[in-house]
Amino acid sequence: MSDLVIVESPHKAKTVKRYLSGDYEVVASMGHLRDLPKSKLGVDIENDFEPQYINIKDKESLIKEIKKKAKASDHVYLAGDPDREGEAISWHLAQLLGLDMNDKNRVTFNEITKSGIDAGMSNPRTIDLNLVNAQQARRILDRIVGYKLSPFLWRKIRRGLSAGRVQSVAVKMICDRENEIRAFVSQEYWSIDAMFLAEGSKKAFASKVDTVDGAKPDLKSKADADAVLKRLEGAEFIVDKVKKSVRKKNPAAPFTTSTLQQEASRRLGFQGRRTMKAAQELYEGLDIKDMGPTGLITYMRTDSLRISDEARAAAYDFIKEKYGDAYIPEKPRVYKTKGSAQDAHEAIRPTNPAITPELVKASGVTNDQYKLYKLIWERFIASQMANCTMDTMSVDIAANGVMFKATGYSVKFDGFTVLYEESKDEEEEKKNVLPPLAKGDKLTPKEILGNQHFTQPPPRYTEATLVKAFEETGIGRPSTYVTTVTTIINRNYVERDGKQLKPTSLGEVTNELMSEHFDKIVDVKFTANMEKSLDDIESGKIGWVKTLQKFYKEFDSELGTAEKEMEGKRVKVPDEATDEICEVCGKPMVIKIGRFGKFMACSGFPDCKNTKRIVQETGGDCPFCGKRVLLKKSKKGKKYYGCENNPECSFMTWDIPTEEKCPRCGSTLFQKGGKNGILICHKQDCGYQRSLSGESAGSEE
């Protein structure tokens, strides 16, 4: 007989098994084995919100197999992920297997490495019921909101709609931002920008007007700018003041779940789901050259910035060997975790700095796994390196009562920037190199221009900036960010426009109804306070039943009032007008939103029932039959490109059509891979391709 270790996934099971002796058998539960029923509420509200869990239907054979193995084992260890969800999965397993709740059978691994697994197996504990109750409370809260509120939306808007607690707040945030953009009135303003040449210098440097007669100028029109420009005609431009200083730039902290999703979006173009999928795989373990299955990063759902002393020491060893002692900071860096953070785990970091991105890439991992590991590895190593030191210079230039200001810097010591710098949502000013200057120097203006600008509305949220807003306002937790964004898109309340998120007409109508009748549900502060209550349940400060009772009393009252006020009323979702004409009756076609997304329908409905799919042209031609190539979506929502003549023509590809034509056969060229990928011709028997990076792609003429 042997001991049984139960984890969630086969990948994790494979890596854990590698580090345990033959006395252990490791199996995967494939996530939850029990849940609330889909066909009904499944919560006894009158009996202290008792959940009515059932075995998940398609997991009956797996449950039977795990029960059999548990019965044949000396001891069972429950090794779910180290968070609320993992604790709940372990508790459900204990219930199913009839384990003693007082037995120390719960083990957690912050990293899937030999030391991480040894530490976990050496410190078994009882199941933490506070963690379980916090997960149960969230699950029941979301079930009550979803199952009580959804039927109301069916009756008042359209059948098939569903509501979510955190999702409704996210939709409101996106709708509120859209309303801000619509209400924004752009204001004209002007700046006066100059390029100056210092004596003996051939390269001009940039400067702009800072003050006029000692005050900040308010240049609202061309006339205002022209008045200042007139004052500058024939003026002498003299350096009035030079200020030199040394500035130190600190590296960014290692990743939390939120910052990882933001940076992966900005730098790699990854959506949250794609980021977390790759991160989960890195945590659970990959086959690394000469090492076997190895966990590459620490647990990826965390809001902590804490780093262990061992990890810091390992980073220092790598930095010394690779870059030298000068790149080690004078004192160890400690990053302060936000007060609202749970701090249950370390920040996201590589388990072993010596496993470089190059080694991981050489092991044949997927492109996503490599790119994300490289990002995590570089961010962590850089976070433990010395500051970047810069010589900065600020120069005031006087001319007839008008003061220009120029600033610039040069890097004195590159420090952590030799490896990594955090990307930004907004573009930073370009580096302005200033020549040696001293007070009294006379400058020659190369050009002085008045430039017109207009104030811009706040930008729409991207997935990265929305996740950042979740974190700042306290909505959701690291494990919920991706689910929230994915859900509101899948439910057609929000759609992607490039990287931006914008509300659909359905989302706006639903948000208006929710805001009018369920202001608590869509209130940011209320939702953040509820998250705080869940944290308090986890820490044992309050009881989960009491929390649910308080919430339900207010929610049930709101629902009753809304039913009375909306009795006999329905809300119409406005159609989106198009220029297309119905080929059946000649009336305009409109865009509607159904259960499966947007579609085109005749505005003459119900007299004319003509409908058709929305097609998005790409400008490309099919290499098989010459007809249009359209942007399409798979059943799972993944974009691909296919011939409009499908199914008669079978052409489809993930590669992006371009405007460029093949120099051999004249067919549309398709872009494969990212900006450093290749252009490829899909015409049969052509075979032309060309690298976008300038390197040979193998078949270019």
Side-chain angles (χ1 to χ4, degrees):
M1 293 179 76
S2 63
D3 290 341
L4 181 67
V5 179
I6 307 175
V7 298
E8 287 106 330
S9 77
H11 274 296
K12 188 174 176 182
K14 184 180 177 183
T15 313
V16 170
K17 176 63 179 170
R18 178 187 167 222
Y19 293 113
L20 292 176
S21 68
D23 295 334
Y24 292 92
E25 185 173 3
V26 186
V27 298
S29 71
M30 310 299 289
H32 278 280
L33 295 176
R34 298 200 309 170
D35 198 5
L36 298 172
K38 290 183 178 180
S39 58
K40 59 180 181 177
L41 180 64
V43 177
D44 189 348
I45 291 170
E46 303 300 324
N47 188 24
D48 288 341
F49 298 89
E50 185 179 341
Q52 298 159 3
Y53 295 116
I54 61 168
N55 294 350
I56 295 173
K57 203 169 186 179
D58 60 358
K59 290 194 175 181
E60 289 290 359
S61 59
L62 179 59
I63 291 170
K64 195 177 290 185
E65 182 187 338
I66 291 175
K67 280 184 173 180
K68 184 179 177 182
K69 289 184 176 181
K71 195 172 183 180
S73 300
D74 291 324
H75 196 84
V76 176
Y77 291 98
L78 307 171
D81 284 348
D83 58 12
R84 290 177 190 167
E85 209 67 30
E87 205 72 18
I89 289 172
S90 299
W91 179 76
H92 283 297
L93 275 164
Q95 297 278 323
L96 280 168
L97 301 177
L99 303 181
D100 185 350
M101 289 297 171
N102 294 315
D103 192 5
K104 291 185 176 182
N105 52 24
R106 175 75 169 118
V107 294
T108 58
F109 311 132
N110 187 51
E111 55 186 62
I112 313 298
T113 59
K114 187 173 191 325
S115 60
I117 290 168
D118 286 347
M121 296 301 293
S122 300
N123 294 282
R125 58 171 173 80
T126 58
I127 290 172
D128 188 334
L129 291 179
N130 288 332
L131 272 173
V132 174
N133 289 336
Q135 189 275 343
Q136 281 198 122
R138 175 185 285 281
R139 185 77 182 92
I140 293 168
L141 272 172
D142 293 342
R143 174 55 67 102
I144 288 170
V145 171
Y147 276 55
K148 290 279 187 178
L149 200 48
S150 295
F152 175 79
L153 297 179
W154 296 355
R155 293 191 296 273
K156 303 308 171 188
I157 301 178
R158 195 192 69 206
R159 281 194 67 81
L161 294 185
S162 55
R165 186 177 58 86
V166 179
Q167 293 94 322
S168 295
V169 185
V171 173
K172 185 177 191 305
M173 291 169 71
I174 292 167
C175 287
D176 287 349
R177 178 59 59 87
E178 196 71 16
N179 289 332
E180 283 181 58
I181 293 168
R182 287 173 185 151
F184 184 83
V185 179
S186 184
Q187 301 290 326
E188 179 184 7
Y189 71 98
W190 287 68
S191 66
I192 295 175
D193 306 291
M195 296 296 292
F196 290 113
L197 277 169
E199 190 175 342
S201 176
K202 292 182 179 179
K203 190 171 182 181
F205 64 90
S207 180
K208 60 174 53 184
V209 168
D210 184 47
T211 62
V212 176
D213 295 331
K216 294 285 183 184
D218 187 14
L219 308 178
K220 293 181 178 178
S221 66
K222 186 176 187 299
D224 293 339
D226 285 346
V228 177
L229 289 171
K230 191 167 182 63
R231 286 182 63 166
L232 295 170
E233 289 177 4
E236 277 195 326
F237 297 86
I238 307 296
V239 174
D240 183 68
K241 185 179 176 183
V242 177
K243 182 182 177 183
K244 294 181 179 180
S245 60
V246 175
R247 183 164 75 92
K248 291 186 177 181
K249 188 176 182 181
N250 297 315
F255 284 127
T256 61
T257 305
S258 167
T259 54
L260 175 63
Q261 289 177 21
Q262 291 171 51
E263 188 75 342
S265 173
R266 287 188 292 250
R267 196 175 284 245
L268 305 177
F270 285 11
Q271 293 176 12
R273 183 192 288 183
R274 185 176 174 186
T275 298
M276 295 311 289
K277 178 180 181 294
Q280 182 84 38
E281 291 160 354
L282 294 172
Y283 165 70
E284 291 179 348
L286 301 173
D287 278 314
I288 301 302
K289 196 175 180 181
D290 301 326
M291 296 176 70
T294 305
L296 294 175
I297 65 170
T298 52
Y299 193 55
M300 65 288 159
R301 293 187 181 93
T302 179
D303 49 14
S304 173
L305 296 175
R306 179 168 47 82
I307 292 295
S308 70
D309 292 339
E310 293 83 1
R312 183 176 289 107
Y316 284 177
D317 288 344
F318 180 87
I319 294 164
K320 279 181 184 177
E321 185 178 336
K322 174 78 174 176
Y323 299 104
D325 288 340
Y327 287 84
I328 300 294
E330 292 177 4
K331 59 181 181 178
R333 294 192 183 281
V334 178
Y335 295 94
K336 191 175 180 182
T337 298
K338 288 185 179 180
S340 60
Q342 294 171 286
D343 200 34
H345 314 293
E346 288 187 58
I348 303 170
R349 61 166 175 81
T351 55
N352 181 359
I355 303 176
T356 63
E358 292 72 30
L359 176 58
V360 170
K361 188 176 185 179
S363 301
V365 302
T366 68
N367 206 30
D368 281 8
Q369 290 164 349
Y370 163 68
K371 284 181 177 179
L372 197 69
Y373 181 73
K374 184 172 185 286
L375 192 66
I376 292 167
W377 185 90
E378 288 181 348
R379 173 83 163 222
F380 171 68
I381 297 296
S383 77
Q384 303 305 307
M385 295 176 76
N387 290 331
C388 169
T389 308
M390 295 177 288
D391 288 326
T392 65
M393 185 159 63
S394 174
V395 180
D396 291 347
I397 303 155
N400 197 19
V402 178
M403 192 71 75
F404 288 81
K405 186 174 284 290
T407 57
Y409 70 89
S410 60
V411 175
K412 189 176 182 180
F413 175 65
D414 53 9
F416 71 92
T417 65
V418 71
L419 178 63
Y420 173 92
E421 279 192 85
E422 185 180 27
S423 54
K424 302 290 182 184
D425 289 315
E426 304 85 18
E427 279 192 40
E428 294 188 50
E429 285 188 17
K430 293 180 181 177
K431 181 179 176 182
N432 191 24
V433 180
L434 301 181
L437 295 169
K439 184 173 179 176
D441 284 356
K442 187 176 179 180
L443 303 176
T444 303
K446 191 175 179 183
E447 65 175 16
I448 304 176
L449 299 172
N451 289 314
Q452 185 184 37
H453 309 274
F454 292 93
T455 55
Q456 298 297 312
R460 284 184 177 136
Y461 286 110
T462 62
E463 188 169 338
T465 57
L466 186 63
V467 165
K468 186 177 181 181
F470 288 164
E471 186 180 39
E472 288 173 349
T473 55
I475 296 171
R477 286 296 179 261
S479 59
T480 67
Y481 296 148
V482 169
T483 307
T484 300
V485 176
T486 302
T487 301
I488 61 178
I489 292 172
N490 289 345
R491 289 177 177 172
N492 296 307
Y493 294 136
V494 170
E495 62 186 358
R496 296 185 192 276
D497 183 4
K499 277 192 172 185
Q500 296 181 330
L501 301 174
K502 68 175 185 178
T504 62
S505 53
L506 175 63
E508 295 197 82
V509 165
T510 306
N511 177 61
E512 285 174 17
L513 184 66
M514 292 286 292
S515 297
E516 184 178 350
H517 297 286
F518 301 95
D519 59 333
K520 285 271 178 71
I521 293 291
V522 295
D523 181 69
V524 171
K525 286 185 179 178
F526 178 82
T527 306
N529 286 334
M530 183 54 68
E531 293 293 346
K532 176 68 168 57
S533 295
L534 293 173
D535 292 345
D536 288 343
I537 293 169
E538 179 177 324
S539 61
K541 293 178 183 176
I542 57 174
W544 69 281
V545 173
K546 189 176 180 181
T547 301
L548 291 173
Q549 286 171 339
K550 185 175 183 298
F551 169 82
Y552 186 74
K553 185 178 179 181
E554 295 178 1
F555 172 68
D556 193 46
S557 175
E558 276 192 338
L559 186 58
T561 303
E563 291 280 11
K564 287 178 184 176
E565 291 177 352
M566 290 290 292
E567 190 173 357
K569 298 178 184 176
R570 282 186 69 85
V571 181
K572 181 174 171 57
V573 179
D575 298 328
E576 191 178 325
T578 74
D579 295 330
E580 197 156 335
I581 301 300
C582 175
E583 62 269 26
V584 176
C585 71
K587 290 186 177 179
M589 299 291 282
V590 294
I591 295 173
K592 294 179 177 285
I593 301 177
R595 289 185 65 183
F596 303 105
K598 289 186 173 183
F599 66 97
M600 206 170 281
C602 180
S603 59
F605 181 85
D607 298 328
C608 178
K609 295 183 171 62
N610 182 32
T611 63
K612 55 185 177 181
R613 289 197 313 170
I614 296 173
V615 297
Q616 189 173 334
E617 293 189 41
T618 63
D621 299 321
C622 176
F624 290 5
C625 70
K627 293 199 173 182
R628 295 180 302 171
V629 172
L630 305 177
L631 173 62
K632 300 184 177 186
K633 278 188 179 180
S634 68
K635 288 181 180 178
K636 293 185 177 180
K638 192 170 182 181
K639 290 181 180 178
Y640 70 97
Y641 302 91
C643 180
E644 67 174 329
N645 199 30
N646 179 273
E648 284 76 15
C649 178
S650 62
F651 175 73
M652 68 80 60
T653 181
W654 303 112
D655 305 335
I656 304 169
T658 70
E659 294 180 358
E660 197 167 337
K661 300 297 181 183
C662 176
R664 285 186 188 171
C665 68
S667 290
T668 294
L669 288 178
F670 291 76
Q671 183 175 331
K672 189 180 190 72
K675 61 183 179 181
N676 294 320
I678 60 172
L679 287 176
I680 186 169
C681 179
H682 285 296
K683 187 83 169 179
Q684 290 168 333
D685 302 323
C686 177
Y688 176 84
Q689 61 185 52
R690 185 179 81 247
S691 171
L692 287 167
S693 62
E695 299 171 6
S696 173
S699 62
E700 182 181 358
E701 286 188 328

